[in-house]
Amino acid sequence: MISEVHYAQFASLALDCGDTLRDVTVAYESYGSLNRERTNAILILHAFTGDAHAAGIDPEGKPGWWANMIGPAKAFDTDRYFVLCSNILGGCRGTTGPSSINPETGKPYGLRFPVITVRDIVRLQKALVDHLGIPKLLAVAGGSMGGMQALEWVVSYPDMVEACLPIATTARHSAQQIAFNETGRQAIVADPDFNGGDYYDGPPPARGLAVARMVGHITYMSDESMREKFGRRLRNRESLSFGFDIDFEVESYLRYRGSQFVGRFDANSYLYITKAMDYFDLANGAPSLAAALEKVLSRFLVISFTSDWLYPSYQSLEIVNALRSRNHDVTYCELSSSYGHDAFLVDVGEQTGIVSGFLARVAKEAGVSEGKGARA
Amino acid sequence: MISEVHYAQFASLALDCGDTLRDVTVAYESYGSLNRERTNAILILHAFTGDAHAAGIDPEGKPGWWANMIGPAKAFDTDRYFVLCSNILGGCRGTTGPSSINPETGKPYGLRFPVITVRDIVRLQKALVDHLGIPKLLAVAGGSMGGMQALEWVVSYPDMVEACLPIATTARHSAQQIAFNETGRQAIVADPDFNGGDYYDGPPPARGLAVARMVGHITYMSDESMREKFGRRLRNRESLSFGFDIDFEVESYLRYRGSQFVGRFDANSYLYITKAMDYFDLANGAPSLAAALEKVLSRFLVISFTSDWLYPSYQSLEIVNALRSRNHDVTYCELSSSYGHDAFLVDVGEQTGIVSGFLARVAKEAGVSEGKGARA
């Protein structure tokens, strides 16, 4: 399955901050076929540094970030469903973000890009779904920040979604989650190459961005998975170096991941997207999370992982309990995994059966026919 | 109780790396009186960024970092015991470290300072204890990296210590612990002001050091204590800023702690001391941790805290189980606290009674008379 990126253009997008963004592009991919009734569409929401390439193989041979979950006979079965994924607003993988050209100046936005929210991100996805002529989504699904978008969808557009699958996520960022993001942001702005966000004509703030990514990677793994993967093993040596070069495998891994990230991600996008996560609070303005979820009309499958300490299970339980207090249809699974937050991406054995079973029930109850219809 | 810093000088110190350090200074403080038999001395070992000022009030009015644990009628009762604390080798608070003058060049060592180990740190403490004419310590005690030193003491000098109190610590750094330290080191060396460690004639790598400290602070607290202390409270504002200035209290706290740290700590010491921690593996060379602890002659009180995720209880249990497998006298307490790793410093209610009771038993069994004798 070779994937292909498509682009949609929108003249303007109103934002929570009060500004309006002009000339907005959205990069998206889709897999499978839309049925004749246009009722079998599933919107996949990507996490922080993900992109539209969720499944299949891109022309350069790279598999999608959730290729193990999306495809024929997989959890999101492309023989049955039309699966859609777009790069988020503020990103740097085809959708308008701080590295895009500001139509007013003819130069990249940099820090003149407006601060965006998860609701803004979802508002643009809604425009895309409308543009594709999909009246209602069978499901919205995503892990981590993708789960925040899934939750925002059912609150912002309750009659647009049959089912919501928030995975390894939270209804609001905690102080610790904000703290990790703020550390990453400070690492970036501390880099002199950051230059107030105007670095597109010169070297990017590579060292700061790499440090930010190193912090991130620690939080995505678990103590246990790091012990299993690295332990105290030395890297290409028999004994300690008594120097500041790499001694341990885990040091090598983090440095590699940090430097590799610089080649594929924009530092300003790092700032904007982490800020959107930190601002996220589904209960915002409502007296409680349960009250904010009062009027949703979707069925829910909430999944968390035992060793995920970045988005711990208690945060999923807050969502579940709020939904149950309003008698919504919610299934909750805490899956056993040693992979930490990464589990939703890499440890998908149990997740697959649970998701496919849930989707089959939702599709049946919604009277959805299988794919092989019109193609968007 | 006004504290006073003393200094001891040593002509040379042999190091694990094979080098010998010349003209070594040790800064230390002491509280209480040594008894006539010189048997009531307790050596306190400080954590990563601590110093010799463990108790009392210094001439500038600053209380010691464990003033709530050391003093008359406190856990380490200075009416009964002679309490000693020295700044560690590699530090920047009076003891020889990378910011000290290299006698061979007349300039600060910087990265020409040799890479040191916890065993080197303890070797210098042993020289100080000998210098003070103390034939045997009633106890060695410390939290975090102080606990590593306590463990190293009883393995390196088994007949020098009656009792060992390793608190909130580990017998070896895990991959995750190495990862956090490596991130801090990379933040420092990424700062152009680091200049290969030669920054003593110019500005220090303040931004990198501040980022490193921010990461550290997150690991010292717990998810719960951050939620209790900060939650999602905004800092001096009614609504979100939609900008990259400080929105949340937790951001303000981290930035403040980061910038404050720069004024009191040397970036090169940060590199050397974290490296010593990462190198620490008590079982090094022995077939197992239990084998490494075979010949110790001390009693043990091991303490951990429920919400400490940086040095989790399972690491203390590894020590306890290794000791028990060799029939050593060991008491283990896992104390309930929401303060995370900081608990050993700030949540000392239960810790106080447990430590004072343990020390009283040790002193009694060792036939130690109370203080009021010769003063070192």
Side-chain angles (χ1 to χ4, degrees), chain B residues 72-282:
Chain B
K74 294 183 181 173
F76 298 97
D77 184 351
T78 51
D79 288 339
R80 307 189 61 185
Y81 310 117
F82 173 72
V83 177
L84 178 68
C85 183
S86 65
N87 185 213
I88 62 173
L89 180 69
C92 51
R93 307 282 294 172
T95 293
T96 298
S99 58
S100 302
I101 298 297
N102 179 349
E104 286 176 17
T105 64
K107 293 178 183 171
Y109 283 100
L111 291 189
R112 282 167 299 281
F113 196 75
V115 167
I116 55 168
T117 65
V118 170
R119 199 189 292 145
D120 294 328
I121 288 168
V122 165
R123 196 177 293 119
L124 182 57
Q125 289 160 353
K126 168 68 161 55
L128 175 66
V129 168
D130 290 345
H131 168 79
L132 296 176
I134 297 166
K136 187 171 187 176
L137 293 163
L138 180 63
V140 292
S144 195
M145 192 198 185
M148 300 178 205
Q149 297 163 54
L151 291 167
E152 187 63 59
W153 256 97
V154 297
V155 167
S156 289
Y157 309 105
D159 52 6
M160 281 286 292
V161 187
E162 293 285 353
C164 177
L165 295 84
I167 302 175
T169 193
T170 181
R172 62 167 177 273
H173 248 206
S174 70
Q176 190 186 63
Q177 289 158 340
I178 295 170
F180 276 119
N181 277 347
E182 172 68 1
T183 303
R185 286 191 293 266
Q186 290 301 310
I188 289 168
V189 304
D191 189 325
D193 289 333
F194 179 66
N195 190 33
D198 288 329
Y199 50 77
Y200 296 107
D201 288 337
R207 289 163 300 182
L209 185 57
V211 168
R213 186 60 169 177
M214 289 174 71
V215 178
H217 266 292
I218 301 174
T219 66
Y220 304 152
M221 298 182 74
S222 71
D223 182 21
E224 188 180 348
S225 65
M226 289 194 121
R227 186 166 55 248
E228 285 168 0
K229 189 166 183 169
F230 310 113
R232 289 181 54 83
R233 273 201 316 284
L234 300 177
R235 171 76 178 173
N236 296 338
R237 48 190 319 122
E238 297 292 311
S239 58
L240 299 172
S241 73
F242 286 95
F244 289 102
D245 283 341
I246 287 168
D247 280 296
F248 297 100
E249 283 278 4
V250 66
E251 295 174 318
S252 168
Y253 173 83
L254 286 179
R255 290 195 196 180
Y256 173 74
R257 287 299 193 125
S259 63
Q260 189 199 39
F261 184 62
V262 170
R264 73 171 180 89
F265 209 78
D266 176 55
N268 282 324
S269 281
Y270 199 104
L271 302 184
Y272 280 88
I273 298 172
T274 56
K275 201 71 176 172
M277 280 191 258
D278 291 349
Y279 276 16
F280 184 64
D281 182 357
L282 199 63

Side-chain angles (χ1 to χ4, degrees), chain A residues 13 15 45 86-90 116-126 145 149 153 272-273 276-277:
Chain A
L13 182 75
L15 301 174
L45 296 329
S86 65
N87 186 213
I88 61 173
L89 179 69
I116 54 168
T117 65
V118 170
R119 198 190 292 148
D120 293 329
I121 288 168
V122 166
R123 195 176 294 121
L124 182 57
Q125 290 161 352
K126 169 69 161 56
M145 194 200 184
Q149 297 163 54
W153 256 98
Y272 280 89
I273 298 172
M277 280 191 258

Side-chain angles (χ1 to χ4, degrees), chain A residues 146-201:
Chain A
M148 299 178 208
Q149 297 163 54
L151 291 167
E152 187 65 58
W153 256 98
V154 297
V155 167
S156 289
Y157 308 105
D159 51 7
M160 282 284 294
V161 187
E162 292 284 354
C164 177
L165 295 84
I167 302 174
T169 194
T170 182
R172 62 166 176 272
H173 248 205
S174 70
Q176 192 187 62
Q177 289 158 340
I178 295 170
F180 276 119
N181 276 349
E182 171 68 1
T183 303
R185 286 191 294 265
Q186 290 300 309
I188 289 167
V189 303
D191 188 327
D193 289 333
F194 178 66
N195 190 33
D198 288 328
Y199 50 77
Y200 296 107
D201 288 337

